[in-house]
Amino acid sequence: MTAIIPSATLLGVDGTSVSVEVHLSNGLPSYTLVGLPDAPCRESRDRVRAALLSSGFKWSLKRVTVNLAPSGLRKGGAGLDLPIAIGLLVEAGVVEREAVAGCGFVGELGLDGSIRRVTGTVPLVAAIESRVVVVPPDCFAEAMVVDRHKVRIAGTLSELVAALRGQSPWPEPPVYAPCPVVPDGPDLADVRGQAVGRTAIEVSAAGGHHLLLSGPPGAGKTMLARRLPGLLPNLEGEDALTATRIHSAAGASLPPGGMVVRPPFRAPHHGASAVALIGGGSGYMRPGEISLSHCGLLFLDEMSEFPAAVLDALRQPLEEGVVRVCRARASVSYPARFLLVGATNPCPCGEGGAQGSCRCSPASRSRYNRRLSGPLLDRFDLRVVVSRPDAGAVMGGAPGEPTAPVAARVAVARELSGARGVRCNAELPGPLLDRLAPLSPGAARLLEHRLRSGLLSARGLHRVRRVARTIADLAGQPGPVAEDHVCLALSLRAELVPAEEAA
Amino acid sequence: MTAPSPAPLPPEAWVAALAGLPAMGPARLRALLASSSPDDAWARLAAGASLPAAVAATCRPDPVSMARLWRGAAGRVCVADTWAAYLDAGVTVGLPGRRGYPPELIADPDPPAVLFSQGASGALDGRRVAIVGARRCTRYGRDVAYELGRDLAAAGVRVVSGLALGVDGAAHAGALSVVGAQPVAVVGSGLDVVYPASHGGLWRQVAATGLLLSEAPLGARPEPWRFPARNRILAALAEIVVVVESGEKGGSRHTVEAAEARDRQVMAVPGSIRSEVSSYPNSLLADGCHPVRDALDVLVALGLSVAGDLSSASAAESRPTPPPNAADVLDALGWAPATLDELCVRTGRSPGVVSVALSDLQETGWVAERAGWWERVAALAGRRG
């Protein structure tokens, strides 16, 4: 007879259901594990054996075959230790077959028989179809997030077997109380002056518009970018669950409540590889930074220092909200719908703004500017120049508006855009702009003038309209977009890398 | 290998070939030509004879390897072919005292040994004013250079400049906008090496309607050391040198020093004391140079006009007066570039209000935006180009 124990393995950020089949037969003692296990999985044999012996069970001297079905799918991680051990115990008759009917198991085994946590509990548990699922104690909170199963925990193998046999009750799960989420993070009041920078991050947060900050070192670009996440509203429902699954799959730590509620903020260093940023890698295919910032913010500081290939790899996810990683064995697609904020210097020496202060040669300047390719720059709806604040404002000026009132305005604006049927204004489809974000006659005239004089492209036109709609929402004006809103939208979208002018 | 040519080549051919040798700078060429006639000099180099003392002195530290280098290079060049190439390109090789060499340069303290030219040599017959300045100039500098070039050319003055980015190019663009103008350009690279590439159009127009000069042979790259050498020729050919915009350490400084060494008058265009690129012209003014407020000031200095003659004064302002809120923003902008944020700080208004004002000003032609920086545009009146 074969014992079949439900479990799961990770594929990208999603779990797939795996059936662990254990078969004992007469013959020379041997242990065979099939089903494309990867290295940690193949090592399970020794862990399971030691765990069984440490827990006082016998290691059967028969011919053991373990199959991880479906056999064409690569199995990863050590989470299949526990179902293999349970399967062996069922076959050996130590545990009744009926006792484990309808139970799924996930967990790594220690050599002393303890059951250890696994990464990716949320997607793994979500993939298990059984009514009951047994997980390590540390994974209880994550398993509860899925909210579909009866979750049981066990700290050691002997504890688990005793509970399955009915000899002792199931261990008590830790107290699971979702705690209220307090947005922590730097406050906007720390920023002195910088009226345009503040406006830009407010508009970016309210409408989901990608933002590029350009300026000399010390202007405050990083400071502004780090205060943007505080303006974003909490994640809800499907978004929160997806973000939690991704964090769990990547092995990133989850907040105490178990669910990711605050929009994630990721700021990879410019030395990060393309795989670290986009996702992939051999075998395991872990999600990258752009997936970890799904429904949150990805901040690329010193954007021009990122390799051009890495930046170009961002274009497709920015467009589609999804990144597709294809390997020979499997293709995975991760969600990657994030708000992109970039900070860059205008030129290698950093002083490029006002003419005359820049110490760079024209060649190095144009080489620097070429790293941010035209199509990538075009994805930014907001492109602002941030200059160093006045000494007076920094030393003595009044603190600016704190995060709370600005976040409140952003929340109201987001509700207005939600009523239009999109998540945020940046996702307003082009063909529907006339219906969902109509222009007043003055605004239309101004935009037409810009189009004709070549200062605005057709694609730029759509982007400016979306930003203008967000500005109107922030001003509390639900009617057609007025000329003033369009003026501000145009000012916030400077052409930061102009073509070289011939005299 | 040098093949015997059917007709004897003129000295220009030999000098052109000598100038084309690697590492043959102006000083070395001059020393070489001072010691023997061009064809003799070539023959000596090709034979690998030891260099005359005067030439060796310019080839420190290792004259022997230089002689070896020249012998090898000379062996690979056919002088007749080189000469034919120059004739085909329409380039005149000017030797001192012979056709194609401006007489003004003969008495120069540091005259070029050879001057390559393309275009009408008659372009130099007339009053000549050099307009020089920074490559990284502001919109103001570019506009002023353009207008000076245009108005001086309209008055029949030859505009002399270097065809570099920024002020030089703008001055010539202004001059070329006047029909019948004959601008003069002195460049640092060979006459067939257009540098910078974006000035190809200007280059060709100057060669077609005016005169293009260079001390460098055909094919010479625009190496950095050629430009100070070029600046002295600019100063030598001009009667007045006008500095439009320059940082304290710019190349214009060298042109000014060369001009003063040759007793040429230097004038400067004043600028905002807050602008980095007006620091040098302003300090020239502080040292006693005359200011240039418009082309009339230059014409008066040339003696072509009398102060008060309004013939080249700018026409009436054709732009509509900006409305009051926009006028405040225009005042706050001044003449130096500023970001939107700086304007908000100066006017004390929100970005929304200031951007509306800037939009109005941009539509009526009072301001322009470049890479996020806003600049005030000088008068549009009379701009035909």
Side-chain angles (χ1 to χ4, degrees):
Chain A
M1 284 289 283
T2 318
I4 301 183
I5 311 291
S7 186
T9 187
L10 267 184
L11 192 64
V13 302
D14 292 319
T16 18
S17 173
V18 168
S19 280
V20 176
E21 299 167 351
V22 181
H23 179 85
L24 287 176
S25 68
N26 291 324
L28 285 175
S30 72
Y31 180 99
T32 320
L33 180 62
V34 294
L36 287 186
D38 72 349
C41 220
R42 258 178 273 130
E43 292 164 356
S44 66
R45 178 214 141 115
D46 300 301
R47 284 195 294 270
V48 167
R49 183 168 186 277
L52 283 173
L53 292 173
S54 306
S55 305
F57 305 112
K58 280 207 284 288
W59 176 255
S60 73
L61 294 171
K62 290 197 172 181
R63 192 189 177 91
V64 180
T65 314
V66 178
N67 178 33
L68 308 171
S71 54
L73 199 64
R74 203 180 178 86
K75 317 294 180 307
L80 293 168
D81 288 357
L82 185 57
I84 293 176
I86 296 295
L88 284 169
L89 289 170
V90 167
E91 278 294 287
V94 174
V95 173
E96 291 294 323
R97 209 168 290 269
E98 293 73 35
V100 298
C103 278
F105 295 84
V106 173
E108 177 186 328
L109 286 175
L111 296 183
D112 56 355
S114 58
I115 303 180
R116 298 234 167 89
R117 63 169 311 186
V118 289
T119 47
T121 309
V122 176
L124 287 175
V125 168
I128 296 182
E129 297 293 325
S130 329
R131 207 180 17 92
V132 179
V133 70
V134 177
V135 295
D138 291 337
C139 297
F140 180 71
E142 289 187 35
M144 287 300 284
V145 164
V146 182
D147 210 22
R148 236 179 38 220
H149 311 82
K150 179 107 188 77
V151 180
R152 298 230 185 261
I153 59 163
T156 64
L157 199 51
S158 25
E159 215 172 62
L160 176 58
V161 171
L164 284 172
R165 277 175 167 175
Q167 286 164 350
S168 56
W170 284 97
E172 273 300 312
V175 176
Y176 172 63
C179 36
V181 178
V182 176
D184 63 343
D187 197 289
L188 201 48
D190 301 335
V191 177
R192 306 288 167 118
Q194 302 287 15
V196 172
R198 285 164 163 271
T199 310
I201 63 173
E202 191 176 328
V203 171
S204 172
H209 303 289
H210 303 308
L211 168 63
L212 181 62
L213 300 163
S214 171
K221 309 183 286 292
T222 310
M223 207 173 167
L224 281 167
R226 289 195 178 266
R227 280 150 182 81
L228 216 176
L231 299 178
L232 296 170
N234 284 349
L235 296 181
E236 295 183 348
E238 194 57 46
D239 285 346
L241 197 57
T242 312
T244 310
R245 273 189 13 243
I246 297 172
H247 272 67
S248 181
S253 59
L254 290 177
M259 279 275 265
V260 173
V261 175
R262 285 302 303 156
F265 176 72
R266 308 294 302 188
H269 184 261
H270 54 75
S273 66
V275 167
L277 205 64
I278 306 297
S282 51
Y284 180 17
M285 297 221 268
R286 73 183 284 287
E289 292 290 323
I290 63 175
S291 298
L292 282 167
S293 56
H294 179 73
C295 297
L297 199 147
L298 181 71
F299 176 43
L300 298 180
D301 206 352
E302 308 284 352
M303 213 165 125
S304 305
E305 301 298 322
F306 280 83
V310 170
L311 290 179
D312 277 342
L314 286 177
R315 280 157 51 186
Q316 182 230 14
L318 278 174
E319 199 65 35
E320 303 182 22
V322 153
V323 60
R324 273 176 264 277
V325 178
C326 302
R327 294 278 184 273
R329 283 247 175 241
S331 311
V332 185
S333 94
Y334 307 127
R337 190 170 36 81
F338 53 92
L339 179 60
L340 178 63
V341 176
T344 177
N345 294 331
C347 70
C349 73
E351 302 297 326
Q355 260 86 356
S357 328
C358 177
R359 297 184 292 274
C360 309
S361 71
S364 66
R365 205 167 178 186
S366 64
R367 220 180 309 128
Y368 191 81
N369 285 333
R370 248 182 280 135
R371 290 191 190 210
L372 296 180
S373 67
L376 181 65
L377 277 179
D378 206 46
R379 297 275 189 277
F380 287 98
D381 292 344
L382 299 166
R383 304 189 287 239
V384 290
V385 174
V386 181
S387 33
R388 292 203 182 92
D390 198 34
V394 171
M395 296 298 281
E401 224 181 343
T403 302
V406 183
R409 285 202 296 270
V410 167
V412 168
R414 283 216 164 206
E415 267 175 47
L416 281 174
S417 60
R420 289 186 198 106
V422 286
R423 253 184 292 254
C424 56
N425 282 335
E427 295 185 10
L428 281 170
L432 297 179
L433 273 177
D434 281 327
R435 184 163 60 82
L436 296 174
L439 296 168
S440 69
R445 187 201 54 79
L446 176 59
L447 284 173
E448 190 186 321
H449 188 259
R450 287 296 160 97
L451 260 179
R452 272 185 215 270
S453 53
L455 289 168
L456 196 60
S457 69
R459 185 195 223 151
L461 171 70
H462 283 323
R463 295 190 181 273
V464 166
R465 281 185 73 169
R466 293 184 188 113
V467 173
R469 182 66 256 171
T470 307
I471 294 171
D473 288 344
L474 280 169
Q477 290 181 13
V481 172
E483 204 172 330
D484 292 2
H485 308 139
V486 171
C487 286
L488 185 55
L490 287 167
S491 302
L492 292 177
R493 193 169 192 259
E495 202 60 63
L496 286 182
V497 181
E500 271 312 310
E501 284 181 31
Chain B
M1 308 303 293
T2 44
S5 43
L9 292 170
E12 280 82 359
W14 300 103
V15 174
L18 284 169
L21 288 174
M24 180 65 76
R28 291 173 186 158
L29 185 61
R30 195 173 27 252
L32 205 55
L33 293 174
S35 55
S36 52
S37 72
D39 44 347
D40 269 345
W42 179 265
R44 304 247 306 268
L45 284 188
S50 63
L51 303 173
V55 181
T58 63
C59 296
R60 294 244 171 77
D62 195 357
V64 175
S65 60
M66 187 66 73
R68 206 174 320 128
L69 172 71
W70 281 338
R71 185 184 72 168
R76 284 190 290 273
V77 169
C78 171
V79 181
D81 289 345
T82 314
W83 181 235
Y86 274 82
L87 291 177
D88 284 340
V91 171
T92 311
V93 181
L95 296 179
R98 290 170 69 92
R99 193 181 70 89
Y101 196 89
E104 299 77 14
L105 293 180
I106 297 183
D108 197 80
D110 185 14
V114 61
L115 205 58
F116 302 96
S117 59
Q118 203 174 16
S121 61
L124 285 173
D125 299 333
R127 311 306 299 273
R128 297 177 303 272
V129 170
I131 302 180
V132 298
R135 284 174 169 82
R136 271 191 287 270
C137 60
T138 63
R139 179 67 187 257
Y140 163 68
R142 208 192 319 269
D143 287 349
V144 167
Y146 185 94
E147 286 160 19
L148 282 177
R150 178 196 64 203
D151 296 338
L152 287 174
V157 170
R158 316 303 200 220
V159 174
V160 185
S161 191
L163 277 181
L165 287 170
V167 167
D168 287 13
H172 270 150
L176 286 167
S177 72
V178 173
V179 174
Q182 288 182 297
V184 176
V186 186
V187 297
S189 54
L191 290 178
D192 54 342
V193 179
V194 176
Y195 175 80
S198 52
H199 281 184
L202 277 179
W203 193 282
R204 279 183 287 277
Q205 279 184 282
V206 170
T209 59
L211 186 62
L212 196 58
L213 297 163
S214 175
E215 199 179 1
L218 285 181
R221 305 289 317 155
E223 285 137 355
W225 58 265
R226 292 201 186 267
F227 290 95
R230 175 258 286 195
N231 288 347
R232 84 183 193 291
I233 303 180
L234 263 180
L237 285 177
E239 297 174 55
I240 298 183
V241 173
V242 176
V243 181
V244 176
E245 269 189 340
S246 166
E248 286 290 347
K249 294 196 177 44
S252 314
R253 202 187 184 99
H254 190 269
T255 317
V256 166
E257 283 165 10
E260 283 168 354
R262 290 160 176 79
D263 252 347
R264 307 286 193 257
Q265 185 176 6
V266 175
M267 301 176 78
V269 175
S272 165
I273 59 175
R274 300 199 195 287
S275 167
E276 171 90 32
V277 281
S278 285
S279 57
Y280 186 54
N282 286 346
S283 65
L284 284 176
L285 293 172
D287 287 341
C289 292
H290 280 269
V292 173
R293 293 161 299 175
D294 52 22
L296 185 59
D297 284 339
V298 180
L299 293 173
V300 168
L302 281 174
L304 285 179
S305 191
V306 178
D309 176 358
L310 295 172
S311 57
S312 61
S314 53
E317 178 59 70
S318 64
R319 294 174 288 188
T321 331
N325 71 321
D328 284 348
V329 171
L330 193 61
D331 273 340
L333 179 53
W335 288 97
T339 57
L340 179 60
D341 198 62
E342 282 164 12
L343 290 172
C344 292
V345 169
R346 288 179 206 167
T347 55
R349 306 223 186 98
S350 77
V353 171
V354 174
S355 61
V356 171
L358 284 172
S359 172
D360 285 339
L361 291 170
Q362 191 174 17
E363 292 217 346
T364 48
W366 282 97
V367 302
E369 185 245 334
R370 188 169 187 273
W373 290 78
W374 295 87
E375 292 173 291
R376 186 167 176 163
V377 175
L380 283 182
R383 176 163 286 218
R384 296 178 279 270

